[in-house]
């Protein structure tokens, strides 16, 4: 078995395991109590905070532990918004933030777009910072495609505009501290091999902050609930440990990712590798396979011994493609994210590259995907493909099947009520050199126009 | 060392330890993922939910895991209040609820008083349920004095009034399920020997509930953040284990508590044992020692090898006595809560009873506390004791020192700006058979009047 999904959750680092088990016997008492068990727990909590603050690059009294990265984001966003209520209610976020940030920011947040690599333009980000902006948020690196964001530039712009910047560092903190003069930083221990149950929230001195949860004396009044000291200790110890291994491990994994980025398009036809090829996390690579059902692909890879994740619509509860892929404007069908753990080997990656072409072609075959150039019923006039009620990747497969029968210059209209079609039909046109004519809403679904150019 | 503070936090139960360590290797993956590690995590989470729901006495789909008991309370209160906004905003609580409940209910909550045992009168509780009451909350048992509340009667009254009842079962769930037709129940695993990082929130089907945190798909959308599956499994396994031991262990500890309740007043002069002597938790006993500084007492007991906690003002960050003792109207100075773990032995309890008298008398001696009957400067007219700036138990000690010099029928006025005086001067009068004349606010502090009767 090869577990290639550490960006979702990493197995426990040996140092975390050791620290956690040791602290089960030492850190179970209430650190607010005056007796020796309480004092011992308090010492352990203080030590964990020192270690974690050192790795984050902040003062211990600027750092609190939360029960998860999600809670760190929620508490951070709520605390700043409330403290800056008089300034305004506007929240600026990148369009590719983690869902915890987007949900905390709310539906009326101002979303800064990204390029096809998933990267924010710092000038555009700076331009979004109006006088009534309460808070801005930019991830250090994207969780789905690995693209590193220009956080230092964004932080500088935020300082100039007097807007606090929250950096969601969930995917990058194990690799190194976040550069730049940010105001808030959040992270999640289980992403770097720490245990579940631990998030970090750093709030720089001078950042106006008003906790919104009911009063509670724990964690400087900023994160209610009994402290999870064994987990917090394990989180801090493993953060220090993975940092010590980061430089060497990063180079090794980055080379493996480069190999996947180069080889997958050569091995598998009709694949788009997405995300920034250079400014990226060392261990994450994402690609999308035309005419492939993401869920089927995941299952086949799982059967072949590889655990990966996907941003395809069919793998989400809502049947909509990942908002990250959507914001990037890239193909979402047959999407695969590979995120390598520290122990990933060249052999595993080679085995993956060996298995992938057969897996993709078997899924395509089952779906009746078109070959390199397929012929279909010719005919005069516009061709309409009725894919209503059909899910990704069927609408694109149907389109690809008929386009060969349409004369160059002729059009195909695809009727679809699948959310992924909005992303995948234009993406297919881009990959195939055809012209995308746009979308027209219908009573049920939409009509997508395509003109054959080649 | 004897750890007599399990009501704050219990050491990890061996079953919890074993389950937690086993699950570190099995339950670290994201249960929302489709790969085998994710599916395995999901199975473990489902199994933990089944076990915990069985112990709570609800359906698995009525139960969610939260990161702490405090979070369970906060989420439960917020969810019901929001869903019942149109009914009204009134929240009814007992005056002796845990601070997490009181803070979530807010300053304008309607507090139902308790008797000197700390017990709510179910008829009074029922009377507080007005037509605009959104939510009522009553603990199953009090965390400071162990008094068991009439939850089943309160739940019946709530059903009749159409008001959902939230039961904070943090102190009692390890001993057994909560009787009665409650609507919501909360608990905290580290109170029964489970790990930190796990709370329970049960919301009965049919209870209107609207989660207020930012959207998150975890835990039925009711508790945001990555699930802590190893801890949740350990919590569920240990709950089942402590329940299997509860009947026998409860009898044993209850007998030890009875021994403490009977012997402490015999061994130590001027002690008030507080809390219901019969309708109580098996393992908790609380008493207050006149003329004693709670913090000094804790430290001396700690040096003698006993870890206990205290509701005295000097042991709290705010320098106010416990709101529970205040609501009961009992002495708060020199307060000690003993809460026995499953492993507590008769020998430990005997050793505690052997040590306590010397510890109390040494603290009293150091503070210059009066003997059985002390004489002080006699004089005609009213006597005024200026104890401004002096902390508990000094104002009461000063009062006790002068009362002997006042003729029967004469009065003493104590000036004090210490929050504990409001509770402890009337309590002293009650214990000593003197008449408490009341409090008069002054520019600084208050003047407390006492008439000598005996």
């Amino acid at each position: 078995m090869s577990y290639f999904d550490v960006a979702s959750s990493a197995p426990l680092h040996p140092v975390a395991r050791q620290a956690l088990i040791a602290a089960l016997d030492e850190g179970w008492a209430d650190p607010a109590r005056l007796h020796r068990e309480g004092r011992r727990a308090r010492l352990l909590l203080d030590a964990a905070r020192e270690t974690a603050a050192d790795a984050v690059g902040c003062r211990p009294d600027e750092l609190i532990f939360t029960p998860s990265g999600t809670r760190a984001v929620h508490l951070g966003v709520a605390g700043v918004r409330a403290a800056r209520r008089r300034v305004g209610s506007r929240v600026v976020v990148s369009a590719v933030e983690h869902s915890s940030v987007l949900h905390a920011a709310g539906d009326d947040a101002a979303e800064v777009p990204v390029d096809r690599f998933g990267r924010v333009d710092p000038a555009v980000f700076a331009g979004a910072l109006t006088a009534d902006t309460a808070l801005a948020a930019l991830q250090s690196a994207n969780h789905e495609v690995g693209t590193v964001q220009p956080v230092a530039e964004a932080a500088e712009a935020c300082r100039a505009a007097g807007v606090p910047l929250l950096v969601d560092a969930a995917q990058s903190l194990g690799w190194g501290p976040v550069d730049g003069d940010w105001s808030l930083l959040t992270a999640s221990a289980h992403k770097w091999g720490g245990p579940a149950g631990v998030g970090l929230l750093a709030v720089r001195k001078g950042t106006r902050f008003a906790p919104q949860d009911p009063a509670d004396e724990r964690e400087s009044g900023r994160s209610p609930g009994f402290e999870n000291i064994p987990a917090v200790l394990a989180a801090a110890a493993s953060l220090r440990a993975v940092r010590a291994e980061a430089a060497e491990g990063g180079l090794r994994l980055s080379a493996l990712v480069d190999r996947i980025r180069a080889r997958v398009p050569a091995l598998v036809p009709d694949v788009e590798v997405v995300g920034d090829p250079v400014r990226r996390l060392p261990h994450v690579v994402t690609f999308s396979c035309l005419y492939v059902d993401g869920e089927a692909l995941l299952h086949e890879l799982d059967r072949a011994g590889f655990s990966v994740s996907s941003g395809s619509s069919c793998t989400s509860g809502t049947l909509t493609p990942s908002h990250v892929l959507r914001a990037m404007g890239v193909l979402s069908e047959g999407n695969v994210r590979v995120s390598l753990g520290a122990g990933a080997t060249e052999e595993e990656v080679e085995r993956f590259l060996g298995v992938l072409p057969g897996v993709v072609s078997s899924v395509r075959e089952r779906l009746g995907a078109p070959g390199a150039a397929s012929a279909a019923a010719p005919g005069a006039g516009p061709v309409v493909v009725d894919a209503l009620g059909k899910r990704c990747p069927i609408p694109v497969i149907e389109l690809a099947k008929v386009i060969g029968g349409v004369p160059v210059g002729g059009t195909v209209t695809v009727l679809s009520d699948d959310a992924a079609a909005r992303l995948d039909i234009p993406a297919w046109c881009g990959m195939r050199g055809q012209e995308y004519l746009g979308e027209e809403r219908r009573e049920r679904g939409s009509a997508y126009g395509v003109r054959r150019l080649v």
Side-chain angles (χ1 to χ4, degrees), chain A:
Chain A
M1 280 307 301
S2 293
Y3 181 75
F4 286 174
D5 193 22
V6 297
S8 288
S9 190
L12 204 62
H13 192 283
V15 166
R17 188 188 164 88
Q18 197 173 19
L20 182 65
I21 291 173
L24 291 178
D25 297 327
E26 300 284 324
W28 50 268
D30 184 345
R33 295 296 174 195
L34 301 174
H35 46 59
R36 70 189 65 193
E37 292 84 357
R39 296 194 305 270
R40 191 173 58 192
R42 163 67 59 188
L43 284 176
L44 294 176
L45 180 58
D46 290 346
R49 199 183 312 278
E50 291 266 356
T51 302
D54 188 53
V56 167
C58 68
R59 290 165 32 174
D61 61 352
E62 293 174 327
L63 184 82
I64 61 158
F65 296 108
T66 68
S68 64
T70 293
R71 278 289 286 163
V73 166
H74 290 180
L75 292 167
V77 170
V80 171
R81 290 183 83 159
R84 289 174 53 84
R85 204 164 271 152
R86 283 191 212 160
V87 172
S89 64
R90 181 178 163 95
V91 178
V92 171
V93 295
S94 90
V96 296
E97 293 300 305
H98 187 265
S99 59
S100 62
V101 175
L102 296 180
H103 287 308
D107 290 341
D108 52 353
E111 287 197 3
V112 176
V114 294
D115 63 18
R116 266 189 87 80
F117 286 155
R119 198 164 192 269
V120 156
D121 180 337
V124 176
F125 197 86
L129 305 170
T130 54
D132 64 342
T133 300
L135 173 67
L138 182 62
Q139 61 198 188
S140 55
N142 185 266
H143 51 296
E144 286 191 33
V145 300
T147 298
V148 169
Q149 302 293 354
V151 165
E153 294 94 314
E156 203 179 320
C158 284
R159 288 283 168 190
V163 173
L165 177 69
L166 182 149
V167 178
D168 166 18
Q171 291 296 334
S172 78
L173 198 67
W175 296 108
V178 175
D179 288 340
D181 195 11
W182 45 264
S183 296
L184 298 99
L185 181 143
T186 61
S188 171
H190 74 102
K191 305 286 190 186
W192 70 64
V198 184
L200 306 183
L201 170 61
V203 183
R204 289 260 193 235
K205 289 286 160 201
T207 307
R208 283 167 60 192
F209 198 84
Q212 293 303 292
D213 273 32
D216 189 279
E217 77 280 9
R218 314 260 173 198
E219 293 299 291
S220 312
R222 291 180 172 178
S223 182
F226 187 73
E227 297 93 340
N228 190 346
I229 293 176
V232 151
L233 268 170
S238 57
L239 180 55
R240 183 161 54 185
V242 298
R243 281 292 186 77
E245 304 154 356
E248 196 179 335
L251 284 174
R252 202 178 67 78
L253 295 185
S254 196
L256 292 178
V257 160
D258 279 339
R259 185 184 300 211
I260 296 172
R261 291 188 71 95
R263 296 269 304 281
V264 165
L267 290 167
V268 182
D270 298 326
V271 161
E272 184 177 12
V273 179
V274 299
D276 197 304
V278 178
R279 290 174 296 196
R280 61 169 178 82
L281 291 170
H283 65 305
V284 176
V285 51
T286 302
F287 53 86
S288 297
C289 307
L290 208 53
Y291 313 138
V292 167
D293 168 359
E295 187 173 355
L297 186 54
L298 253 55
H299 280 306
E300 291 300 321
L301 285 171
D302 183 55
R303 284 182 53 191
F306 296 96
S307 298
V308 299
S309 73
S310 171
S312 292
S313 57
C314 49
T315 62
S316 82
T318 56
L319 292 177
T320 54
S322 136
H323 69 275
V324 172
L325 302 177
R326 207 162 56 218
M328 295 166 66
V330 297
L331 187 72
S332 80
E333 64 189 37
N335 181 259
V336 170
R337 178 186 66 186
V338 170
S339 50
L340 303 175
T345 63
E346 193 178 328
E347 292 66 38
E348 282 179 291
V349 168
E350 280 302 323
R351 198 157 50 81
F352 177 75
L353 293 171
V355 158
L356 185 68
V359 165
V360 171
S361 71
S362 80
V363 175
R364 281 176 175 163
E365 205 166 300
R366 211 179 313 144
L367 291 167
S374 69
V383 174
V384 175
V385 173
D386 181 356
L388 289 168
K390 291 178 181 160
R391 295 276 163 218
C392 157
I394 302 301
V396 174
I397 290 178
E398 297 295 328
L399 166 61
K401 277 181 175 168
V402 303
I403 196 86
V406 174
V408 171
T411 62
V412 178
T413 300
V414 182
L415 305 178
S416 172
D417 51 4
D418 179 42
R422 186 164 299 130
L423 192 52
D424 290 345
I425 290 174
W428 177 88
C429 292
M431 290 172 81
R432 278 283 172 273
Q434 312 295 4
E435 185 186 2
Y436 176 62
L437 300 173
E439 174 186 357
E440 189 184 290
R441 299 287 182 120
R442 295 286 172 86
E443 200 176 332
R444 182 179 172 198
S446 289
Y448 299 90
V450 175
R451 188 189 315 279
R452 180 175 178 188
L453 299 184
V454 290

